[in-house]
Structures are given as C-alpha cells and as structure tokens.
Amino acid sequence: VYMSEGDKQESLLTKSTEYVSHLLGHEGPGSLLSYLKRQRWANSLGSGGNTALSDFESFDVTVELTNQGLANVDNVIEAIFSYIAM
C-alpha cells in the first residue's frame, strides 16, 4: 500500500510518518500484524516514510502475504486502513 503524505515540510515538523510507522510496526498483542497472522494472511509487515522526493513525502506499508492473504488481499488492505483510522 502506497500513500502520499502531502506537504513534506508539515510532515517533517510533526513527524507523523514516524509515529504511524511505529504504531504499524508493533508486533505484540492487539497489533495489526498479530491480527493478520491470526487470520493466516501475513508473515511479516513493514512500514515507513520516504522523504527522497522534493515536494511531498510518501508512506509505504509492505506486507508479506501468505497464500490465504493473497486470496484475501482486499480484506488485508481494509485491515491496514482500519488500523490507521483508529
């Protein structure tokens, strides 16, 4: 999943990508990864911002899917956005 963060300057001031990346990267009980593993949809998850672009920042979420996860990719994407929206 790839998202544009918009104004790079504002993001650098608030460090929003670091905060969201930290939350998404948590692997303990109640985490997104623990949910995806319980569903047998994923083996691993990584996320982070990319500031290499001059005017805006992007944010990536990478999930190593299982075969079941690939068959349920829409549910995996929904879970990612639901977790971010919390």
Side-chain angles (χ1 to χ4, degrees):
V1 177
Y2 170 84
M3 296 166 265
S4 172
E5 276 290 304
D7 184 7
K8 180 178 176 180
Q9 191 66 22
E10 178 66 26
S11 180
L12 289 174
L13 293 173
T14 62
K15 300 204 180 285
S16 58
T17 55
E18 286 90 345
Y19 181 72
V20 174
S21 182
H22 177 75
L23 293 174
L24 289 172
H26 176 64
E27 297 183 1
S31 69
L32 175 59
L33 182 59
S34 69
Y35 170 75
L36 295 174
K37 283 184 171 184
R38 250 190 344 273
Q39 302 302 314
R40 302 187 190 282
W41 292 343
N43 294 316
S44 65
L45 182 147
S47 65
N50 180 354
T51 60
L53 304 169
S54 62
D55 294 339
F56 65 94
E57 184 173 2
S58 64
F59 188 81
D60 304 320
V61 178
T62 304
V63 181
E64 180 188 343
L65 298 174
T66 63
N67 288 335
Q68 278 185 299
L70 191 55
N72 289 280
V73 70
D74 290 339
N75 292 324
V76 172
I77 293 170
E78 183 179 339
I80 293 168
F81 281 99
S82 293
Y83 195 84
I84 293 171
M86 283 195 324

